[in-house]
Amino acid sequence: MPDVIDLDDPSDVRLTDYVALRDSSLRKHLEAERGLFIAEGEKVIRRAIEAGYRPRSFMLAPRWLDSLRDVVGDAPVYRVSEATAEAVSGFHVHRGALASLYRETRHTMADLLAMRRLMVCEEIVDHTNVGAILRNAAGLGWDGVLLAPRCADPLYRRAIKTSMGAVFSLPWARLDDWRTAVPTLQRAGFTVVALALRDDAVDVADFAARVEPAQRLAVLLGTEGAGLSTRWIDQADVAVRIPMRAGIDSLNVAAASAIAGYALGRPTAPATLAP
Amino acid sequence: MPDVIDLDDPSDVRLTDYVALRDSSLRKHLEAERGLFIAEGEKVIRRAIEAGYRPRSFMLAPRWLDSLRDVVGDAPVYRVSEATAEAVSGFHVHRGALASLYRETRHTMADLLAMRRLMVCEEIVDHTNVGAILRNAAGLGWDGVLLAPRCADPLYRRAIKTSMGAVFSLPWARLDDWRTAVPTLQRAGFTVVALALRDDAVDVADFAARVEPAQRLAVLLGTEGAGLSTRWIDQADVAVRIPMRAGIDSLNVAAASAIAGYALGRPTAPATLAP
């Protein structure tokens, strides 16, 4: 039986976990200091808890209580009006349900180095792009995502939302060190593939045709504006490109991750040999 | 020599084109009634004008005047402080430059029916997704995009921004009628391909292997939640699916358009026959 507490004062200290959710720099400090993250919407909250993350509390508009009753466990449930939810969080909470959960380190870089197909993000600072890459990697059957130290936080609310909860199901970890990441992947047996629009890069389809199903592949994805660093491109085993119409900007990095994930993420043996 | 007018009253009637840019329902009426659209940021404004759209006016923070001086032509330039820009538009204008331009119907459905590779959006109501689909279609060499009547407006500010200006360079048009769209495409010689996660759908790679370079292809993309309507799937010549890991939600429709655009958007003849 959940412990339901009605609150109507937006400044109530019990609602501190939920303040100013649109202020990403404030949230960054608050969430790190308190070791929490926020999940938004019934579906995403449910996925976080089913994946084993422990709730600290819930802030729910009245109509959402019933639909989440089975997952709240012992955590306090703060029942608030939509107006109070908005006053606390700083925006209209469309889905009327927020949960604060304890952060956990689920996987280390070593765990991911034991896998077969990885996406590796260099400096993706946009939370939406990080979430979309996680969703694409999960949907297209990749094993995990590695994030360079400067990448946006996958457990930030908007990244979670864009990932549709893939951040809870797909293993991911931070790289220990940007400088040594590529050689570390190579020592672990990965063929390291830089996705880059260089003229001398190999067409991704031509490269895909040479990939063995059992081969370990790590695809490097760079920040949208500048792309991958020269360091990572030069260290990689191969640079591949997605053919683009002349005169058009590069694709958004999330779209590029979808195409690379599709083209390189599964065995490319001829259809006649497939089971 | 542009006509530069300093304004500091946010309620000045000359700034009406720029009011409440985050209020999408208000903007929808205002932009239709006045026949205008808003472009944001120097790069996007420049692309709109280079593509031949005529500016009504500009609202610029002082530092942006020089960088746009060569494209403003005879339209009035309202020079405002960042505070005034924010008070008018309702948000912090990061890029400090806004232009209001005259809407024009550039292409009709008949124009697009004469092309070879089309993406067709059924009910994509999210401006970001419409913009991303246009960007992917342009980048991957597709000829144009058709939009069902209920799709979001490609000339809405956020769609333009996400498209990186592809909305100005890539032909697009509204479908005259949702009900007859698929038979109309078929009569025009298109093989109509529904992208759907049905069990009986063909793997997109298997279908791609059978596409002839000269074949006319129209790929149907449905709304993210519910996917394509049964009507469109049933009317299509073939349903294809992107293979997904079990238990994962479908991809975001923009990611799906990237993969379909990559897989089906170019000749798939064996590499040995390519020039």
Side-chain angles (χ1 to χ4, degrees):
Chain A
M1 181 78 172
D3 180 17
V4 179
I5 301 153
D6 286 299
L7 297 179
D8 57 10
D9 176 4
S11 65
D12 192 302
V13 69
R14 287 169 289 185
L15 299 179
T16 308
D17 283 5
Y18 304 96
V19 299
L21 292 177
R22 293 178 88 158
D23 183 339
S24 62
S25 59
L26 182 144
R27 292 301 309 178
K28 193 171 170 178
H29 291 292
L30 185 150
E31 296 188 7
E33 191 179 291
R34 298 188 154 218
L36 65 86
F37 68 95
I38 298 292
E40 181 183 9
E42 189 223 334
K43 189 188 264 190
V44 166
I45 291 172
R46 188 174 287 279
R47 288 185 180 174
I49 294 169
E50 285 171 358
Y53 286 95
R54 288 179 307 122
R56 290 162 58 91
S57 69
F58 296 82
M59 183 172 84
L60 304 177
R63 67 196 164 96
W64 286 101
L65 182 57
D66 280 345
S67 64
L68 282 164
R69 199 178 284 273
D70 61 310
V71 296
V72 299
D74 296 331
V77 176
Y78 303 124
R79 186 161 52 189
V80 300
S81 67
E82 297 204 3
T84 300
E86 189 167 345
V88 174
S89 66
F91 65 96
H92 183 69
V93 183
H94 292 284
R95 292 178 177 148
L98 292 165
S100 173
L101 301 107
Y102 289 97
R103 277 182 186 255
E104 289 173 31
T105 298
R106 285 290 178 98
H107 297 92
T108 64
M109 185 166 170
D111 296 329
L112 273 80
L113 290 179
M115 296 175 172
R116 192 176 61 93
R117 295 284 159 104
L118 300 178
M119 293 193 186
V120 187
C121 299
E122 188 175 31
E123 190 167 340
I124 316 287
V125 296
D126 181 289
H127 290 104
T128 305
N129 283 335
V130 167
I133 291 167
L134 281 156
R135 182 175 177 186
N136 292 340
L140 296 167
W142 288 61
D143 300 317
V145 173
L146 281 168
L147 300 152
R150 288 193 187 171
C151 283
D153 175 12
L155 290 178
Y156 187 67
R157 180 181 55 89
R158 289 187 57 225
I160 294 173
K161 197 170 161 182
T162 310
S163 85
M164 292 291 285
V167 60
F168 305 132
S169 58
L170 189 78
W172 57 268
R174 289 274 174 193
L175 291 171
D176 300 329
D177 181 16
W178 168 77
R179 295 172 58 86
T180 59
V182 174
T184 301
L185 284 160
Q186 288 162 330
R187 274 197 305 274
F190 284 88
T191 301
V192 178
V193 182
L195 202 60
L197 280 175
R198 289 204 174 172
D199 287 340
D200 60 351
V202 178
D203 185 316
V204 63
D206 295 336
F207 178 73
R210 300 199 304 262
V211 173
E212 302 288 336
Q215 192 173 346
R216 303 175 107 174
L217 229 52
V219 172
L220 310 183
L221 302 166
T223 189
E224 180 155 8
L228 284 168
S229 66
T230 306
R231 182 186 192 93
W232 275 25
I233 297 178
D234 290 346
Q235 289 179 327
D237 296 298
V238 59
V240 304
R241 66 181 160 73
I242 297 166
M244 300 285 298
R245 173 180 284 170
I248 296 286
D249 288 319
S250 62
L251 294 168
N252 162 279
V253 67
S257 78
I259 293 172
Y262 165 79
L264 305 175
R266 55 180 185 174
T268 55
T272 49
L273 298 181
Chain B
M1 181 76 173
D3 180 16
V4 179
I5 301 153
D6 286 299
L7 297 179
D8 57 12
D9 176 4
S11 65
D12 192 300
V13 70
R14 287 168 289 184
L15 299 178
T16 309
D17 283 4
Y18 305 96
V19 298
L21 292 177
R22 292 179 87 157
D23 183 338
S24 62
S25 58
L26 181 144
R27 294 300 309 179
K28 192 170 171 178
H29 292 291
L30 185 150
E31 296 188 7
E33 191 180 291
R34 299 190 152 216
L36 65 86
F37 68 92
I38 298 293
E40 181 184 9
E42 188 224 333
K43 189 188 265 189
V44 166
I45 292 172
R46 187 173 287 278
R47 288 184 179 175
I49 294 169
E50 285 171 357
Y53 286 94
R54 288 180 307 123
R56 292 161 58 91
S57 69
F58 296 81
M59 183 173 85
L60 305 177
R63 68 198 163 93
W64 287 100
L65 183 58
D66 280 344
S67 63
L68 282 165
R69 199 178 284 272
D70 61 310
V71 296
V72 299
D74 296 331
V77 176
Y78 304 124
R79 185 163 50 189
V80 299
S81 66
E82 297 204 2
T84 300
E86 188 167 345
V88 174
S89 66
F91 65 95
H92 183 69
V93 183
H94 291 285
R95 291 175 180 150
L98 291 165
S100 173
L101 300 109
Y102 289 97
R103 276 182 186 257
E104 288 173 33
T105 299
R106 287 288 177 98
H107 296 92
T108 64
M109 186 166 168
D111 295 330
L112 273 80
L113 290 179
M115 296 175 171
R116 193 175 61 93
R117 295 285 159 103
L118 300 178
M119 293 193 187
V120 187
C121 298
E122 188 174 31
E123 190 167 340
I124 315 287
V125 297
D126 182 289
H127 291 105
T128 305
N129 283 336
V130 167
I133 290 167
L134 281 155
R135 182 175 177 187
N136 292 339
L140 296 167
W142 288 62
D143 300 317
V145 174
L146 282 167
L147 299 152
R150 289 193 186 170
C151 283
D153 175 13
L155 289 178
Y156 187 68
R157 180 180 54 89
R158 288 187 56 224
I160 294 172
K161 196 170 162 183
T162 311
S163 85
M164 292 293 283
V167 60
F168 305 131
S169 58
L170 188 78
W172 57 267
R174 288 273 175 195
L175 291 171
D176 300 328
D177 181 17
W178 169 75
R179 296 173 57 86
T180 59
V182 175
T184 300
L185 285 159
Q186 287 163 331
R187 274 197 305 276
F190 284 88
T191 301
V192 178
V193 182
L195 202 60
L197 279 176
R198 289 203 174 173
D199 286 341
D200 60 351
V202 178
D203 186 315
V204 64
D206 295 337
F207 178 73
R210 301 198 304 263
V211 173
E212 302 288 336
Q215 191 173 348
R216 302 175 107 175
L217 230 51
V219 172
L220 310 181
L221 303 167
T223 188
E224 178 154 9
L228 284 169
S229 66
T230 306
R231 182 185 192 92
W232 275 26
I233 297 178
D234 290 345
Q235 288 179 327
D237 296 298
V238 59
V240 304
R241 64 180 161 72
I242 297 165
M244 300 286 297
R245 173 180 284 171
I248 297 285
D249 288 320
S250 61
L251 293 168
N252 163 279
V253 67
S257 78
I259 293 172
Y262 166 78
L264 304 175
R266 55 178 186 176
T268 54
T272 48
L273 299 181

